[in-house]
Amino acid sequence: MKILVCIKQVPDMESRFKVNAAGDWYDQSDLAFRMNEYDEYAVEQAVQLKEQLGGEPEITVVSIGPERVGEPLRKALAMGCDRGVHIHDADSSRKDPWQIASLLAAFAREGSYDVIFTGMQSQDRGSAQVGMILAELLGLPSVTTIVGFSYEDGQVTVRRELEGGARSVVRVPLPALFTCQLGLNQPRYPTLPNIMKAKKKEILLVKEGDFALTEGRALTSRLFRPEKKGRGLVLEGDVAEQSQRLVEILKIKTAVFR
Amino acid sequence: MAAKLFKGSEYLITEVSKNDVFTPEDFSDEQKQIGETTEQFVINEVVPHKEEIEHLNYELSAELMRKCGELGLLMIDAPEEYGGLELDKATSMLAAEKFSMAGSFSVTYMAHTGIGTLPLIYYGTKEQKGKYLGKLMTGEWVAAYCLTEPGSGSDALGASATATLSEDGKYYLLNGTKQFITNGGFANIYTIFAKVDKQHFTAFLVERTTEGLSVGVEEKKMGVKGSSTTQIILDNAKVPVENLLGEIGKGHKIAFNVLNVGRFKLGATATGAAKQAMTEAVKYANERKAFGVPIATFGAIQEKIADMNAAIFASESVVYRLAGMVDDRLATIPKDTPNYYEAYQEGIEEYSIEMAIAKVFCSEMLADVVDEVLQVYGGYGFTQEYPAEGFYRDERINRIWEGTNEINRLLIPGTILRRAMKGEIPLQKEAMKAFESLMSPSFEELDDSIPFAVEKALLANLKKAFLIIAGSGTQKFMDRIKDEQEILLAAADMAINIFAIESAVLRAEKMLPTCSEPRKKAAESAVKAFAFTANEKVATAARKAAYYIEEGDTLAMLLAGIRRFTKYDATGLLQAKRNLAAAAIEAEKYIF
């Protein structure tokens, strides 16, 4: 069995963000970066599957981005992945989900993976599209936002999280792709011995330019902070007057009565 | 790897370049990852139990130690041969720094991995290591170190505990009482120092279940209440002869070498603790309003925040610079050297001066920080509802244990002078040169194209000031200088602050080419704010020493020299502090 995990490096969400000079993304200088939280669930699930199968599957972990992407790749290796692939792209934040998925597909096509795990979405862009587009490009079935995963005899049974807290159970034959949601598992801490062992594992460096260029389909034209909302309104008068006024406001400003 | 390998205390007589120092910006991916694992472990597994830990819960502490073991946090310094990781000191210090957030539990951890386990690692026989090291690395067993006695602390060699060989020659019978033993209440193995035949200071590995060993009651302490501190009472404790550690009569080597590393590590934990305390204070300053605005908008609060940030920057620079020095030196020893740990000890010993500097500087930096943090909280800082009072109480012990700051200060010039007399460092020659430059006017022009040219010129001058004071002291008192403690303390203050300023400047200089504009500005501001304060300390110490040593014309000449060599143009100091404060207030934490 061959497993692929796609991970992304994102800024620490407790950082103070500033809009960049071009006004279309956040300023990346002086930020602390870490592995996207949902991707940690993806790595953990891959490692658990490998452990369940007695260590037989080989896990490849791939990430697109600049130099610093080596860090989360090393972490994934320390958590138990076998080899890393760094698709070097200094400008990956300018690529839309379609381009990112296309790059990943170009890489993954060669590997004929049986199971692919990605995070449900990234904590910075949050498009939640890359996993699904990647599956489409590879012609694989995909199941999104999984919160439970079990494997038996070539078939996977997953639990999905639906709107309003509902759950569904889905069975999929392999190969297939899964996007991982909070609650799927508890990612392990990389232990110190494993961190040191990971140093000896290979990270293959390929360039984004080694793959055919795909045109972007969506452009982030502007990034800005929402304008400050107006101040609250205090209604006065007796209860009847107040409720009448409230209904009027709701009719004009909201869709409650439509 | 640094460009040059420096001898201990050599920084005082030579110029050091940025390529010679290791800085936190130089961490490898693995080092960062180990830091992250440690931090995550502490945040997720220890901090939620903090309250319970503070009430001293042996079982919880023992369980957390086993969890540390599972993650490999107890094998950082242990040799690979026994399943350890044998990582460098930079990694070890980073883990220690991250651990400081664990409060009292960090004391348990530090005592176990430091003074508890290192004697065995450095001096244990194959059999002893085979028997105990595994258990200590998994956390199945907890370790403690027993040196202090009710009647002897800093004068450790004055211990009165005794060890007498039994008639059948199979056991040593240990008698005496050991005082203030960290982890005493629940440790499984103790490294105990006692005198064989009442005169030969010797170390023993003593299991808890040893017949004749008993544990005293818990001390009621001012801080770090969640760590165990007890007496260990030895009443004919029957210790098998094979548990004698090292050699008879060589216990002092074990005791002091292990303390060297402990002092160094204390610098790292103090740095971590200061970062945490400062972060809380900045958050509070942003929340708390007075006169209708957050108190963080006031210059009075901003100055505190700037000073704290600058001091922590220096402290961090000291710790990792020293880690780099030690690692570079230890890396020159081939692993297959027979008596590897003997050569290793010499490497550690080489930097005993810098380790004492780290201990004193970082612990006093933390003292200043927690004091100001409490002040930022105002009246609420005095209550137990906010974390400031806990930081304040927990800090105090750091200036006492691992050798009081007085003992460590005395050790700094004491060791320098001893090495100078042995001819290991050309102190005399350099002091003569400094005196000469005192007599000749200076026409040196500053080269503005060099980053931190002003600070570098200052450092060169401060080193001269140190040499003049050290030279005057020895000239006046000859070898009796070792008894002039007030002068030695002042000389130590000079050496400490010079090392700290230099570490901060070189780190900032190393950062500049790769960092963003705002970060560059912050680093320059931190250097200016810190250099100003630390230079004033050097100047005060130098003047004090001059008055202690000389009188009349010679005194006047010394004072004039000090005035000249401690001149620092800190133009833009206020703006520097405001910049630094603004950055920290925006980030709501220590910013480097």
Side-chain angles (χ1 to χ4, degrees):
Chain A
M1 179 186 278
K2 289 176 76 182
I3 305 173
L4 178 68
V5 189
C6 307
I7 66 170
K8 181 179 181 182
Q9 190 184 39
V10 296
D12 185 333
M13 286 301 134
E14 285 184 19
S15 314
R16 302 283 142 152
F17 291 96
K18 283 191 203 110
V19 176
N20 65 5
D24 59 359
W25 198 233
Y26 56 84
D27 185 354
Q28 306 202 19
S29 55
D30 297 339
L31 291 177
F33 287 87
R34 44 163 298 169
M35 195 193 300
N36 181 39
E37 182 188 337
Y38 303 99
D39 301 344
E40 289 196 2
Y41 308 135
V43 171
E44 176 64 32
Q45 204 54 52
V47 176
Q48 285 187 12
L49 179 56
K50 180 183 168 106
E51 286 169 348
Q52 184 195 335
L53 298 176
E56 182 273 317
E58 193 204 46
I59 309 175
T60 301
V61 55
V62 61
S63 190
I64 304 172
E67 212 64 33
R68 54 175 157 76
V69 164
E71 272 180 55
L73 282 171
R74 287 275 166 223
K75 179 173 186 181
L77 294 176
M79 286 172 77
C81 295
D82 299 293
R83 49 191 291 268
V85 177
H86 178 179
I87 302 180
H88 191 275
D89 181 358
D91 226 11
S92 58
S93 64
R94 297 201 164 270
K95 290 195 167 53
D96 74 347
W98 165 259
Q99 287 172 298
I100 294 288
S102 299
L103 261 182
L104 289 172
F107 163 74
R109 219 166 265 134
E110 307 288 307
S112 48
Y113 295 98
D114 302 286
V115 190
I116 301 178
F117 292 105
T118 74
M120 182 270 277
Q121 63 180 7
S122 61
Q123 287 174 288
D124 58 351
R125 194 176 293 272
S127 78
Q129 295 174 31
V130 172
M132 281 183 288
I133 300 175
L134 173 59
E136 283 301 311
L137 289 171
L138 295 174
L140 298 180
S142 68
V143 190
T144 57
T145 56
I146 65 167
V147 291
F149 180 97
S150 66
Y151 171 85
E152 213 171 331
D153 302 331
Q155 176 144 308
V156 168
T157 308
V158 297
R159 281 154 59 83
R160 292 190 66 215
E161 188 185 69
L162 303 177
E163 293 286 317
R167 295 278 199 275
S168 69
V169 173
V170 182
R171 279 192 196 87
V172 213
L174 295 182
L177 180 145
F178 306 92
T179 79
C180 305
Q181 165 70 311
L182 169 77
L184 174 64
N185 53 42
Q186 185 74 47
R188 67 196 63 196
Y189 303 109
T191 67
L192 272 55
N194 286 342
I195 291 169
M196 296 317 289
K197 276 183 213 145
K199 203 177 163 181
K200 297 187 184 88
K201 292 181 183 175
E202 173 205 26
I203 293 185
L204 181 71
L205 186 69
V206 290
K207 290 195 200 72
E208 160 251 1
D210 296 347
F211 302 99
L213 185 73
T214 322
E215 284 291 313
R217 297 189 172 186
L219 179 77
T220 304
S221 56
R222 190 174 156 229
L223 189 82
F224 57 95
R225 291 188 182 279
E227 274 111 48
K228 283 215 171 109
K229 287 193 184 133
R231 294 211 286 178
L233 187 67
V234 179
L235 303 180
E236 284 171 17
D238 62 26
V239 176
E241 279 168 4
Q242 283 190 33
S243 33
Q244 176 133 23
R245 180 90 183 95
L246 179 63
V247 169
E248 278 167 25
I249 293 172
L250 290 175
K251 269 185 187 160
I252 298 165
K253 298 215 169 181
T254 74
V256 179
F257 296 112
R258 274 175 225 161
Chain B
M1 242 294 149
K4 185 188 158 190
L5 207 56
F6 280 85
K7 283 186 165 186
S9 77
E10 199 182 343
Y11 77 94
L12 283 167
I13 52 168
T14 185
E15 193 186 332
V16 183
S17 114
K18 70 177 191 322
N19 299 321
D20 296 323
V21 296
F22 181 82
T23 74
E25 287 70 41
D26 298 326
F27 285 136
S28 68
D29 284 354
E30 287 75 32
Q31 287 169 330
K32 284 186 212 166
Q33 193 61 62
I34 287 172
E36 192 188 315
T37 286
T38 312
E39 188 170 26
Q40 289 301 311
F41 169 75
V42 172
I43 290 174
N44 298 324
E45 313 292 331
V46 184
V47 173
H49 300 293
K50 222 166 178 178
E51 193 56 40
E52 222 179 317
I53 293 170
E54 279 306 288
H55 288 98
L56 200 56
N57 180 334
Y58 291 166
E59 261 166 44
L60 178 59
S61 292
E63 190 199 319
L64 287 171
M65 285 300 286
R66 285 191 292 274
K67 282 191 180 172
C68 287
E70 282 168 25
L71 282 179
L73 287 166
L74 307 180
M75 49 171 70
I76 294 176
D77 294 303
E80 280 180 352
E81 202 186 331
Y82 298 89
L85 293 170
E86 232 171 331
L87 298 176
D88 51 27
K89 290 284 169 250
T91 310
S92 185
M93 294 304 140
L94 184 59
E97 196 199 313
K98 299 289 184 191
F99 231 100
S100 65
M101 229 185 294
S104 289
F105 182 67
S106 79
V107 174
T108 306
Y109 171 83
M110 289 302 153
H112 173 88
T113 53
I115 52 180
T117 309
L118 292 183
L120 174 66
I121 292 176
Y122 294 162
Y123 297 94
T125 60
K126 269 202 159 87
E127 291 71 28
Q128 289 167 342
K129 287 185 198 175
K131 190 171 178 192
Y132 297 121
L133 206 46
K135 286 180 171 139
L136 295 176
M137 284 192 295
T138 56
E140 186 189 336
W141 274 25
V142 173
Y145 171 93
C146 310
L147 178 62
T148 297
E149 295 187 3
S152 66
S154 298
D155 53 341
L157 298 183
S160 55
T162 59
T164 315
L165 193 62
S166 65
E167 276 178 18
D168 59 7
K170 287 182 181 162
Y171 297 93
Y172 280 98
L173 297 173
L174 268 57
N175 282 290
T177 303
K178 292 291 170 179
Q179 184 80 352
F180 302 141
I181 305 310
T182 303
N183 292 349
F186 68 106
N188 307 85
I189 186 159
Y190 304 85
T191 300
I192 298 181
F193 294 87
K195 286 181 176 166
V196 173
D197 301 332
K198 295 188 177 169
Q199 49 178 330
H200 308 294
F201 199 66
T202 307
F204 298 88
L205 297 167
V206 186
E207 294 184 22
R208 185 193 181 92
T209 51
T210 301
E211 194 187 317
L213 181 148
S214 57
V215 175
V217 293
E218 286 288 341
E219 299 287 348
K220 293 200 182 342
K221 304 192 293 287
M222 171 182 177
V224 293
K225 289 170 182 279
S227 67
S228 167
T229 311
T230 67
Q231 282 192 336
I232 298 299
I233 300 136
L234 305 159
D235 180 11
N236 282 321
K238 249 174 111 179
V239 181
V241 286
E242 57 269 25
N243 277 27
L244 190 145
L245 185 64
E247 293 171 43
I248 293 178
K250 296 276 175 70
H252 59 285
K253 275 194 144 185
I254 303 179
F256 296 140
N257 275 325
V258 166
L259 280 179
N260 275 328
V261 180
R263 284 166 186 164
F264 180 15
K265 221 175 242 190
L266 188 146
T269 50
T271 305
K275 285 185 191 176
Q276 191 200 0
M278 176 184 155
T279 299
E280 295 294 337
V282 180
K283 279 189 194 154
Y284 184 79
N286 274 339
E287 276 167 25
R288 170 73 187 182
K289 288 187 175 168
F291 307 102
V293 289
I295 60 171
T297 57
F298 299 123
I301 300 295
Q302 288 179 2
E303 184 172 23
K304 294 183 196 303
I305 292 171
D307 285 339
M308 285 194 264
N309 210 328
I312 302 172
F313 178 77
S315 174
E316 210 178 33
S317 308
V318 163
V319 168
Y320 294 104
R321 174 186 179 186
L322 178 52
M325 289 166 80
V326 177
D327 285 335
D328 284 350
R329 167 73 201 246
L330 295 181
T332 62
I333 311 167
K335 281 277 158 68
D336 54 2
T337 309
N339 304 330
Y340 173 77
Y341 279 108
E342 219 164 278
Y344 183 100
Q345 287 310 326
E346 277 171 30
I348 299 279
E349 176 73 35
E350 178 69 43
Y351 301 111
S352 61
I353 293 164
E354 285 81 358
M355 290 179 181
I357 288 176
K359 198 271 175 180
V360 175
F361 179 77
C362 301
S363 64
E364 293 182 3
M365 174 281 304
L366 177 61
D368 292 342
V369 165
V370 297
D371 192 64
E372 289 290 41
V373 164
L374 196 146
Q375 193 71 11
V376 168
Y377 277 84
Y380 291 103
F382 202 61
T383 71
Q384 296 193 344
E385 227 165 287
Y386 288 87
E389 73 92 33
F391 296 146
Y392 192 84
R393 285 187 291 101
D394 288 350
E395 171 277 318
R396 193 61 186 86
I397 188 62
N398 289 305
R399 288 179 278 157
I400 299 171
W401 62 15
E402 310 277 356
T404 62
N405 283 16
E406 288 71 22
I407 287 289
N408 273 287
R409 274 193 165 87
L410 294 175
L411 202 144
I412 295 165
T415 311
I416 293 172
L417 292 172
R418 210 175 57 236
R419 287 187 187 175
M421 303 226 182
K422 276 201 249 166
E424 289 171 14
I425 41 168
L427 194 72
Q428 208 66 31
K429 199 181 92 199
E430 296 296 327
M432 289 305 288
K433 276 201 245 169
F435 275 113
E436 277 165 32
S437 67
L438 186 61
M439 306 300 180
S440 54
S442 156
F443 301 107
E444 277 166 48
E445 290 268 324
L446 278 185
D447 180 356
D448 287 340
S449 66
I450 304 169
F452 301 109
V454 182
E455 285 76 13
K456 286 186 172 171
L458 172 70
L459 279 164
N461 281 336
L462 291 181
K463 291 176 187 184
K464 284 180 198 156
F466 174 83
L467 288 167
I468 287 168
I469 291 297
S472 303
T474 36
Q475 212 166 23
K476 179 85 179 251
F477 296 97
M478 309 303 279
D479 57 351
R480 281 177 297 119
I481 185 77
K482 65 181 195 312
D483 300 320
E484 297 293 324
Q485 294 197 343
E486 298 90 334
I487 297 172
L488 295 175
L489 292 179
D493 279 340
M494 296 179 74
I496 291 166
N497 282 292
I498 293 169
F499 190 75
I501 298 173
E502 188 170 71
S503 304
V505 168
L506 295 176
R507 176 183 175 195
E509 189 189 1
K510 205 174 181 184
M511 277 168 73
L512 291 191
T514 53
C515 72
S516 68
E517 274 306 313
R519 201 170 158 80
K520 189 176 160 186
K521 201 165 100 178
E524 286 166 347
S525 302
V527 165
K528 185 164 287 179
F530 179 73
F532 177 79
T533 312
N535 177 53
E536 291 297 314
K537 286 185 185 165
V538 178
T540 304
R543 272 198 295 275
K544 193 164 76 169
Y547 283 112
Y548 289 168
I549 297 167
E550 283 296 350
E551 52 192 15
D553 290 346
T554 322
L555 172 62
M557 184 199 69
L558 278 183
L559 291 174
I562 291 163
R563 195 157 49 240
R564 174 171 150 198
F565 290 140
T566 58
K567 206 175 276 172
Y568 175 51
D569 178 5
T571 302
L573 181 61
L574 179 60
Q575 200 50 50
K577 286 195 185 187
R578 286 184 178 165
N579 291 341
L580 193 55
I585 287 164
E586 198 201 328
E588 289 203 313
K589 58 176 189 183
Y590 166 73
I591 54 166
F592 293 104

